[in-house]
Amino acid sequence: MDTANKNKRPQGYVLVPALVSLLLSPAVLAEEEELAQGWQVTPRLTLSETFTDNIELEPDGDADLVTEVSPGVNLSKQGGRSRVEFDYELQGLLFADTSSSNDINHKLFGAGQFELKPDWFYLDTLATYTQRNTNQSGRLSLDTVTGAGDLDDVGTLRISPYLVHDFGGQVEVLARYTRDEIRYESGGASDSSADGADINLASGRFWRVVTWSLNHNRNRISRSSAPNASFESTRADVAYRLTDSFRLLARAGNEDNDYPSSRQVENGSYVAGGALWRPSRYYAMEALYGEEYKTATLRLNPTRRTDVEITYYDRDVGTLLGAAWDARIRHRGPALTLSATYNEDTTTVQQAELERGYLDLFTGEVSFDQPQPGSFFLPVDVLVLTDEIIERKRASGTASYDTGRSTFTGRIFNERRLFLTSRTTERVNGGDAAWRWAYDGTTDFILRGGLVNTLRASGTQDDRLWFAQWSVEHDFTPRARGSLELRRTEQESDRAANEYEENRITARVRMEF
């Protein structure tokens, strides 16, 4: 393994102590009695032994035995005027045959939501520190145990104070400021700072015949070794109720964006008019038409457990030009849950890092959290390290079925990416599935497998990564859990240097104190 950067402290390393201060300082402002209530501190220790027949994931690799010693701690508080989730783990890796590759990884996830003044001022905080593949077009590792040395430390930090208030039922206000910091250990993508402002004004509950809203969004991104970028949009909406089921609509807006791109950035204003028809709770239709802006939305609620929303756009100004779609389908049953989404957006690698780190502690919805021992990721949402602006079109579907003792989950995905400076394209598709069977109250059997197929550089490079895993987990005590895992990973490619096969077996014990 490449050890050139093993002892280098990344620029983002300061995020670890910064997060502790950021998460806890608002809570310190609370009264001592409240501060002492609701906190849970759970130290833990994870020990594992992994035997792999291809430690460096090479076409003809060597075997090794890896010992992992990972102490960690989880600090959480939910209730009162603050909700905090803080998880830190120090992962120590000891290699039997390649001791020069011994390594320590820091893994951190933290999120906090604070109610500074009820019905007025709030604060959201977020920070992550983890490892990722630096070279998405090379040999990909599913975790930090094996790899070709192509792992990079990535740190993110977000602080977002905001105001929410209802002014007597006349005007509802949401005003938010967001500061983001993203740091990479090595090159490939620039360190980034971003300042965002969101201002939303809307008519209150006393507006019955005429309703209105005004939204302004601005995000300015400063990058250490690449051109800066800024995105700014303003939109105003007015609706006039003719009947309980029919409303006239008007929309006006302005786009003012500046970012590096090989195509012209189209800025300017737009105006559109249309109508909303909602004859029943089961369906509704909305359409607006203007010279530079056209949109139509269909909403369906065939049952109280199922909702569908499909929107079509055709825009001549903004970051996405021409025809575009957004769609969402959800079904929530007693045992079966289904969802499917499709959306198109413009982003940067740095923004994508933050999107992976969002946690809503109020709803419990998680798009990224601290990886549990033995967990790994498929490189689907991780973008190649670049400073280009990226246009994405993403479709995904998930399903889960819970019978009580058995749980089935599955996912499929397809994403197309266009890099706006080089005009190269990338396409990622595949899926994964898992089955968990609760043998009894203390033992679970798990089967999992997945495939990711990536066409890079406008189709000139084709990589296929797949894995299959079987594991058994057993609770020795309420605070001690052991597992035995067998896994095979294989990467096929039209580039011989990217191909590898790996088989491994891992025994693990996780103890909480």
Side-chain angles (χ1 to χ4, degrees):
M1 298 179 72
D2 181 6
T3 60
N5 291 321
K6 292 298 180 182
N7 296 321
K8 178 183 175 182
R9 287 299 186 196
Q11 298 178 32
Y13 189 70
V14 297
L15 293 178
V16 177
L19 171 67
V20 178
S21 175
L22 182 65
L23 285 176
L24 300 184
S25 57
V28 172
L29 299 178
E31 297 180 0
E32 292 186 4
E33 182 178 353
E34 179 185 351
L35 183 64
Q37 298 177 352
W39 288 96
Q40 292 185 347
V41 180
T42 307
R44 67 177 183 270
L45 176 65
T46 302
L47 306 173
S48 71
E49 289 287 340
T50 298
F51 175 79
T52 171
D53 63 1
N54 191 351
I55 188 63
E56 295 184 356
L57 304 183
E58 294 180 337
D60 186 16
D62 297 324
D64 206 344
L65 181 67
V66 184
T67 300
E68 178 182 345
V69 181
S70 298
V73 63
N74 182 274
L75 173 67
S76 64
K77 179 182 185 295
Q78 297 199 20
R81 294 172 56 185
S82 61
R83 303 192 180 191
V84 176
E85 180 77 20
F86 178 88
D87 195 285
Y88 172 76
E89 183 173 278
L90 186 149
Q91 183 190 44
L93 298 174
L94 304 174
F95 297 81
D97 293 336
T98 53
S99 59
S100 60
S101 297
N102 293 347
D103 198 11
I104 291 178
N105 293 313
H106 301 274
K107 299 176 182 292
L108 180 147
F109 175 82
Q113 294 178 330
F114 305 95
E115 187 179 34
L116 304 181
K117 182 176 177 56
D119 299 322
W120 278 95
F121 297 107
Y122 303 84
L123 174 67
D124 290 347
T125 59
L126 170 73
T128 65
Y129 197 90
T130 187
Q131 290 71 46
R132 57 161 289 169
N133 290 287
T134 58
N135 183 10
Q136 290 296 108
S137 61
R139 299 191 300 274
L140 298 178
S141 174
L142 295 181
D143 52 35
T144 55
V145 175
T146 56
D150 294 329
L151 292 175
D152 191 13
D153 288 335
V154 182
T156 70
L157 181 62
R158 166 172 286 180
I159 178 170
S160 183
Y162 62 101
L163 177 152
V164 177
H165 192 68
D166 182 348
F167 288 88
Q170 297 294 332
V171 180
E172 297 176 354
V173 177
L174 167 62
R176 179 188 290 268
Y177 168 77
T178 302
R179 174 71 176 188
D180 294 327
E181 298 284 345
I182 302 97
R183 298 292 183 266
Y184 295 93
E185 176 186 10
S186 57
S190 298
D191 294 340
S192 171
S193 301
D195 292 283
D198 299 284
I199 301 174
N200 303 289
L201 307 177
S203 55
R205 61 187 180 276
F206 290 138
W207 292 73
R208 300 297 179 87
V209 178
V210 177
T211 56
W212 55 270
S213 65
L214 177 63
N215 306 295
H216 178 75
N217 310 99
R218 185 187 69 184
N219 190 24
R220 295 183 177 178
I221 305 172
S222 301
R223 297 185 286 185
S224 60
S225 56
N228 298 334
S230 64
F231 303 89
E232 188 168 357
S233 65
T234 304
R235 195 180 87 180
D237 285 284
V238 177
Y240 180 78
R241 188 180 70 179
L242 292 177
T243 68
D244 289 341
S245 61
F246 192 83
R247 299 187 182 191
L248 297 178
L249 305 177
R251 178 172 296 169
N254 183 74
E255 295 282 340
D256 186 10
N257 307 298
D258 183 16
Y259 54 88
S261 175
S262 60
R263 71 185 184 192
Q264 184 176 353
V265 179
E266 298 290 345
N267 293 319
S269 301
Y270 61 87
V271 177
L276 166 66
W277 183 47
R278 181 179 295 165
S280 74
R281 73 169 185 86
Y282 296 104
Y283 63 93
M285 291 177 285
E286 175 184 318
L288 292 135
Y289 182 88
E291 185 175 351
E292 296 87 10
Y293 183 94
K294 307 169 186 67
T295 182
T297 299
L298 173 65
R299 299 182 183 92
L300 301 173
N301 296 96
T303 71
R304 296 189 181 278
R305 297 180 180 273
T306 306
D307 61 273
V308 179
E309 182 173 321
I310 302 172
T311 301
Y312 168 79
Y313 296 97
D314 186 358
R315 292 167 283 203
D316 294 332
V317 294
T319 57
L320 292 173
L321 304 178
W325 293 85
D326 281 324
R328 184 189 76 240
I329 302 172
R330 293 187 300 179
H331 173 77
R332 301 167 299 278
L336 178 65
T337 301
L338 301 171
S339 67
T341 61
Y342 176 83
N343 66 289
E344 304 181 25
D345 65 4
T346 301
T347 190
T348 65
V349 169
Q350 294 86 352
Q351 280 300 113
E353 299 288 355
L354 286 163
E355 290 173 4
R356 294 175 58 237
Y358 178 74
L359 169 66
D360 188 340
L361 292 174
F362 287 106
T363 65
E365 296 179 1
V366 181
S367 59
F368 174 84
D369 56 7
Q370 180 72 298
Q372 296 298 314
S375 66
F376 51 91
F377 64 92
L378 285 175
V380 179
D381 300 322
V382 181
L383 301 171
V384 62
L385 287 175
T386 179
D387 283 324
E388 294 194 47
I389 306 298
I390 305 168
E391 186 177 286
R392 298 186 296 181
K393 300 179 179 182
R394 300 183 290 173
S396 65
T398 61
S400 65
Y401 184 72
D402 190 348
T403 66
R405 292 186 62 183
S406 290
T407 303
F408 302 86
T409 59
R411 174 181 61 155
I412 57 174
F413 44 82
N414 185 303
E415 179 169 325
R416 290 171 288 173
R417 303 162 181 165
L418 172 63
F419 299 86
L420 294 184
T421 300
S422 63
R423 306 298 294 177
T424 59
T425 62
E426 189 172 272
R427 184 165 184 167
V428 183
N429 58 73
D432 57 2
W435 171 52
R436 177 185 290 268
W437 178 45
Y439 175 73
D440 56 24
T442 61
T443 305
D444 294 334
F445 293 92
I446 303 168
L447 290 175
R448 186 178 180 191
L451 168 69
V452 177
N453 184 50
T454 307
L455 288 170
R456 295 187 173 89
S458 299
T460 60
Q461 180 182 343
D462 187 0
D463 294 325
R464 296 165 300 282
L465 176 68
W466 67 269
F467 76 93
Q469 176 179 295
W470 172 87
S471 61
V472 57
E473 300 180 354
H474 179 73
D475 290 329
F476 299 109
T477 71
R479 289 184 171 270
R481 187 170 181 85
S483 66
L484 181 66
E485 302 170 0
L486 302 176
R487 189 172 92 195
R488 175 175 173 83
T489 309
E490 183 173 340
Q491 180 167 320
E492 302 172 344
S493 176
D494 52 10
R495 296 186 179 185
N498 282 2
E499 295 191 335
Y500 74 84
E501 297 178 1
E502 187 218 3
N503 300 286
R504 68 162 64 177
I505 181 171
T506 300
R508 178 179 293 106
V509 176
R510 174 189 171 97
M511 298 168 287
E512 294 182 350
F513 305 98

